[in-house]
Amino acid sequence: EVQLVESGGGLVQAGESLRLSCVTSGFTFDDYAIGWFRQAPGKEREGVSCTGRRRHGEYYADSVKGRFTISSDNAKNTVYLQMNALKPEDTAVYYCVADLTLFPDLLDSNEWDYWGQGTQVTVSS
């Protein structure tokens, strides 16, 4: 059974940093594209960042480029999202996602088959 378990969310002030973690299990880590989506209250889910199978490529939404960094630790089957210079508009529930796709797409949340339970990130101004 595929499982994605996020952690690391919290309440921070604007300009501060957080690192989200996603511990995965139930599949071969390198065989899946893995990424992060977020959803703010009253808004649609938004792709934030992802990395492809074999960890080829890193992709970011324009809204987070230069501030967020995705990384992974294959030995721990874990993906991280380092979030710096946080803004109030980054407030959302952040979800870890995974899929067998060869072409990970941040614009299509329906493409991603597996989702974690989410972790809340709140940025105060």
Side-chain angles (χ1 to χ4, degrees), residues 1-71:
E1 178 188 4
V2 172
Q3 288 193 324
L4 309 171
V5 180
E6 304 99 331
S7 62
L11 171 63
V12 297
Q13 293 189 334
E16 295 184 340
S17 299
L18 279 174
R19 188 178 79 157
L20 305 183
S21 300
C22 173
V23 178
T24 73
S25 61
F27 62 93
T28 302
F29 188 67
D30 268 358
D31 286 351
Y32 281 66
I34 299 180
W36 295 89
F37 275 69
R38 67 186 181 187
Q39 187 166 24
K43 295 188 176 181
E44 293 188 357
R45 285 178 176 176
E46 174 190 20
V48 176
S49 178
C50 67
T51 178
R53 297 172 70 173
R54 306 289 188 266
R55 303 300 151 254
H56 289 321
E58 296 177 7
Y59 308 93
Y60 297 93
D62 287 344
S63 58
V64 306
K65 278 181 183 176
R67 300 188 298 123
F68 291 12
T69 303
I70 192 169
S71 63

Side-chain angles (χ1 to χ4, degrees), residues 83-96:
M83 306 186 295
N84 297 331
L86 282 161
K87 305 175 181 180
E89 51 263 44
D90 294 318
T91 295
V93 176
Y94 283 70
Y95 298 92
C96 182

Side-chain angles (χ1 to χ4, degrees), residues 19 21-25 29 72-80:
R19 188 178 79 157
S21 300
C22 173
V23 178
T24 73
S25 61
F29 188 67
S72 63
D73 184 334
N74 283 18
K76 297 181 178 180
N77 291 343
T78 300
V79 174
Y80 304 98

